Amino acid sequence: GFSAEQVTHMVIAYEPIWSIGTGVIPDNDEISKTIEFIIDTTFNIYKFKPTVLYGGSVNEKNIEILKLFY
């Protein structure tokens, strides 16, 4: 239900519901696959690749995988 103009400004924030406030962080593979899914799904619908912001706990163990998407 978004216009083409709205989609070009879209930023999608992602954090697993089970991770919020628990201190449990998904592994890099799960983060990567989820971000890829969000980008691919949005592209398939709107023909645009959005910026995806991982909103969870970023640390020295997962920062490198997150850099791939920025």
Side-chain angles (χ1 to χ4, degrees):
F2 296 102
S3 72
E5 177 64 21
Q6 289 172 318
V7 172
T8 63
H9 300 287
M10 186 178 287
V11 176
I12 298 174
Y14 151 68
E15 182 175 6
I17 189 92
W18 53 263
S19 179
I20 298 171
T22 66
V24 179
I25 303 168
D27 63 32
N28 290 351
D29 189 51
E30 184 174 359
I31 294 168
S32 175
K33 286 180 180 179
T34 303
I35 290 173
E36 287 176 22
F37 174 80
I38 292 168
I39 291 170
D40 291 346
T41 300
T42 305
F43 184 79
N44 288 336
I45 296 169
Y46 297 106
K47 305 304 181 225
F48 180 80
K49 293 184 178 183
T51 298
V52 178
L53 173 64
Y54 174 68
S57 299
V58 177
N59 61 36
E60 68 279 355
K61 294 178 183 175
N62 64 15
I63 189 65
E64 290 303 318
I65 193 71
L66 298 175
K67 287 180 183 178
L68 297 175
F69 297 98
Y70 295 100

